[in-house]
Amino acid sequence: MADHFSNHRNNTGGNLAFCIDIIGQKIRSRGATASLPPGPRGLPIVGYLPFLMFNGKNIPLHRQFTHLAAQYGPIFKIRVGSQLQVVVSSPSLAKQVLRDNESIFSSRDLPLAIRVWTYGGLDLSSLPMSQDWNSMRKVVLREVLSNPSLDRCYELRRSVVVKALRELVRSGGKPVGVLELANKMVANATMAMTWGGRDDDGDVDNEEARRLCEEVMALMEKPNVSDVFPLLARFDLQGIGRKVAEVAGHFDRIITSVIQKRFDGKGSLIMDDGREMKDLLQVLLENRERSGAGSPLASITQFKALLLDITPGGTGMVATVIEWAMTELLRCDKAMTKVKRELDDVVRLEGLVEDHHLKKLDYLDAVVKETFRLHLTVIQREAVQPCTIGGYAIPKKAKVMINAWAIHRDPRLWEEPSEFRPERFLDNGRPLDFVGSSSDFVYIPFGSGRRMCVGFNLATRLLKYVLASLLHSFDWKLPAGEGGSTVDVSDEFTLIIKKKKPLTIVPTPRLSCSDLHA
Ligand code: HEM
């Protein structure tokens, strides 16, 4: 079976299109002054906004961008309110943005809701590239979210996941909303790892913290007029900034009290079976203490902003991908059978999935990668100075969007791109990892370069652990009357690409081990 990579290289039509694209870029770059990329005309003041919002067919943004790219080419511009947006949809242009000019596209446009939530844009994702950003990123990558650190807090996430599995057993085969379940498992596991809190006996009211995170995510997903007309931001016409500030105030009280308890020596490390487990907060605090006053984390507000990158961070994204993976597996019997057979071989029916099994689950890994390929989103950067991309001028402050969704479904790059075929990640002489540059920017689920996602390690480990646990512990069926091919796959664009209609399925326990029936 041809893999996507050799397909990418052998596809003559695709290569021809790329050559034409590159020759075009070269010719344009010889011109004296580069012009702005082509693009549809909009209306005065509002630009192209009404066409994006009220197109009569409710087409989500990533799909509209893909249609526009078919018309105007792999780089086009649109004006949305007072903002110039440039959308790129080819690996070579993604490389120019994410790698060749990474110091120019090193910033992100900050929507009002995110600015308010992150103490004015102090978290890693919002900060411009700077010495402080660099030091914090290193701490997060090398210490907080490194593999050894995630190993040390395994028991914390395990206890949450096992508890949720037991609750599902007790629920006696009632239909379950997968996104809701995954959100709860992922958010509780992330909070447990971050500050050791547990639903029942922890230092923190995790239920309340989770509710607040969901509330703020819902506010962030709302289109906000302040973001397309920054001059209007101070009036906060829809009241989104005010509502986020309220939720942020409650959440701030929770994390301030967690941190204060640690400073006071209370609520410290979790001891279990005589073993010491370090949660991620403890790792951060130890680093802060070691680095002293010179550390960017010396400021308590900065410290709290960094915590927000982890909890809630990308937890919503992880849960959404779990829902997509379940959806695809229910639509594809062959893949479902294969993934379950692998789980039976590696984990065996006597026990639950454990962290150490994950490395041996190659097919599950391919299922996750294929789900990322099909259902991921748009990567957003901002130009901090003018530059040229693909031979076109990109002005300072232009918002550049890389339509990863379109690249991941480009028929010139992927064989039968709309098909869910995890095998494409296995039949490959050179398996793709999650780092965009190693795939020539054909596959970029976590972005690339110095601003690539710092949470990819946590995200992939947690995602695989929760998904494998759900698949191994239960058989999942659609409610009576629904067949696999009828599962709805329509999507919508919010901050991420979500399933439009939530997936509801019925679990039947398949393991008899005591862990599940305790
Ligand atoms: C399925 C899960 C996830 C996906 C698909 C994802 C994807 C991404 C993408 C595409 C970017 C932008 C990269 C770029 O601009 O090149 C990003 C940035 C980021 N992600 Fe994730 N992410 C996920 C989970 C997480 C988690 C769990 C965390 C936290 C623990 C996290 C923390 C961050 C941070 C802090 C940044 C900004 C990094 C910087 O600018 O230096 N993400 N993520």
Side-chain angles (χ1 to χ4, degrees):
M1 190 184 302
D3 61 80
H4 84 272
F5 222 86
S6 51
N7 181 41
H8 163 44
R9 304 217 185 284
N10 298 335
N11 181 335
T12 331
N15 282 349
L16 189 63
F18 277 119
C19 291
I20 292 170
D21 183 21
I22 285 164
I23 294 166
Q25 288 174 26
K26 290 236 168 9
I27 292 170
R28 283 191 297 276
S29 64
R30 280 204 208 112
T33 356
S35 52
L36 288 174
R41 290 168 74 91
L43 300 173
I45 303 175
V46 286
Y48 200 67
L49 184 64
F51 302 99
L52 292 178
M53 292 192 68
F54 311 111
N55 53 43
K57 294 182 195 142
N58 226 350
I59 305 173
L61 201 60
H62 54 290
R63 290 178 187 269
Q64 292 195 56
F65 283 169
T66 310
H67 295 162
L68 286 169
Q71 223 177 321
Y72 294 97
I75 175 164
F76 67 88
K77 67 156 192 318
I78 44 173
R79 198 167 279 286
V80 177
S82 54
Q83 205 175 49
L84 181 72
Q85 302 191 351
V86 174
V87 182
V88 306
S89 327
S90 78
S92 68
L93 290 166
K95 174 174 167 282
Q96 289 185 43
V97 175
L98 296 175
R99 188 165 74 193
D100 303 347
N101 296 288
E102 70 175 344
S103 53
I104 294 178
F105 297 101
S106 58
S107 190
R108 296 195 175 95
D109 169 55
L110 268 196
L112 178 68
I114 295 189
R115 206 175 326 133
V116 174
W117 176 247
T118 57
Y119 303 92
L122 285 184
D123 73 317
L124 256 189
S125 161
S126 314
L127 277 175
M129 260 190 201
S130 60
Q131 190 58 44
D132 279 357
W133 165 83
N134 199 25
S135 318
M136 286 194 295
R137 198 175 151 99
K138 276 192 190 143
V139 173
V140 171
L141 281 174
R142 291 186 190 162
E143 294 188 35
V144 186
L145 299 180
S146 65
N147 272 323
S149 168
L150 295 180
D151 289 343
R152 274 197 300 271
C153 60
Y154 170 56
E155 286 299 329
L156 294 171
R157 60 184 176 274
R158 182 186 190 275
S159 63
V160 168
V161 170
V162 173
K163 185 176 171 207
L165 297 176
R166 282 185 196 150
E167 276 170 18
L168 264 185
V169 170
R170 282 198 294 271
S171 74
K174 283 200 201 112
V176 178
V178 177
L179 184 62
E180 202 186 326
L181 171 72
N183 256 325
K184 194 171 166 188
M185 289 172 85
V186 172
N188 285 345
T190 312
M191 281 190 271
M193 283 187 281
T194 310
W195 48 57
R198 294 188 193 151
D199 271 353
D200 39 10
D201 58 357
D203 302 329
V204 193
D205 183 352
N206 274 354
E207 206 47 55
E208 173 69 354
R210 192 163 58 81
R211 193 188 59 72
L212 293 170
C213 292
E214 278 175 12
E215 221 174 291
V216 87
M217 283 299 160
L219 288 166
M220 284 177 187
E221 285 173 2
K222 285 199 167 129
N224 189 347
V225 74
S226 301
D227 296 331
V228 282
F229 296 105
L231 281 178
L232 297 178
R234 65 197 153 116
F235 303 114
D236 187 22
L237 293 172
Q238 292 154 269
I240 292 180
R242 184 180 44 74
K243 287 181 202 148
V244 173
E246 264 171 41
V247 183
H250 290 303
F251 198 76
D252 178 70
R253 277 193 283 286
I254 293 179
I255 52 177
T256 308
S257 102
V258 179
I259 297 171
Q260 194 55 52
K261 277 188 192 154
R262 289 295 165 94
F263 282 154
D264 298 345
K266 292 183 217 143
S268 56
L269 300 188
I270 314 291
M271 310 294 286
D272 203 16
D273 304 337
R275 273 176 302 160
E276 184 184 82
M277 276 180 284
K278 240 183 226 184
D279 59 24
L280 306 180
L281 174 61
Q282 193 63 30
V283 180
L284 265 178
L285 281 168
E286 285 174 11
N287 177 283
R288 184 176 185 264
E289 224 170 270
R290 260 199 324 275
S291 313
S295 157
L297 296 175
S299 141
I300 195 71
T301 314
Q302 183 66 76
F303 189 92
K304 289 192 281 191
L306 191 60
L307 266 189
L308 293 182
D309 276 328
I310 305 168
T311 292
T315 51
M317 198 104 105
V318 175
T320 301
V321 178
I322 291 175
E323 187 189 36
W324 278 121
M326 276 290 200
T327 304
E328 294 293 357
L329 287 170
L330 282 161
R331 283 162 54 83
C332 180
D333 283 345
K334 197 173 118 206
M336 180 65 105
T337 309
K338 273 190 174 180
V339 77
K340 292 201 91 139
R341 195 179 308 140
E342 180 183 68
L343 282 161
D344 291 351
D345 288 347
V346 173
V347 184
R348 312 229 165 254
L349 282 170
E350 299 80 59
L352 295 179
V353 175
E354 302 292 348
D355 210 35
H356 63 86
H357 293 128
L358 299 180
K359 285 196 194 85
K360 297 178 201 145
L361 298 170
D362 292 338
Y363 196 76
L364 180 90
D365 181 68
V367 164
V368 168
K369 284 180 170 154
E370 180 70 338
T371 310
F372 277 133
R373 183 186 70 80
L374 280 171
H375 299 289
L376 273 195
T377 187
V378 168
I379 300 168
Q380 188 254 110
R381 300 283 186 93
E382 191 180 72
V384 295
Q385 64 185 71
C387 86
T388 309
I389 290 292
Y392 290 109
I394 311 294
K396 182 177 170 178
K397 297 288 277 174
K399 183 168 161 178
V400 174
M401 287 182 283
I402 297 155
N403 191 353
W405 187 87
I407 295 175
H408 288 176
R409 289 175 177 244
D410 188 333
R412 290 166 301 180
L413 306 169
W414 303 88
E415 197 176 82
E416 297 184 272
S418 312
E419 294 293 308
F420 180 74
R421 272 205 355 227
E423 288 73 13
R424 69 176 92 233
F425 285 97
L426 291 171
D427 298 348
N428 204 320
R430 182 185 159 198
L432 292 190
D433 60 22
F434 290 117
V435 184
S437 53
S438 62
S439 70
D440 290 339
F441 297 82
V442 166
Y443 184 61
I444 42 173
F446 292 96
S448 186
R450 291 174 65 203
R451 296 222 72 146
M452 184 184 158
C453 177
V454 289
F456 75 98
N457 213 1
L458 169 64
T460 47
R461 283 181 69 168
L462 189 55
L463 200 160
K464 284 187 202 170
Y465 177 51
V466 173
L467 181 63
S469 299
L470 290 173
L471 288 169
H472 186 58
S473 309
F474 300 90
D475 283 320
W476 294 90
K477 295 247 158 19
L478 291 160
E482 289 185 36
S485 56
T486 64
V487 181
D488 182 87
V489 276
S490 49
D491 55 12
E492 60 183 354
F493 184 95
T494 55
L495 289 176
I496 46 186
I497 296 177
K498 277 188 169 173
K499 222 174 148 303
K500 205 165 179 179
K501 189 167 168 246
L503 176 71
T504 302
I505 41 180
V506 184
T508 311
R510 67 192 288 266
L511 306 180
S512 54
C513 62
S514 55
D515 258 342
L516 262 195
H517 298 272

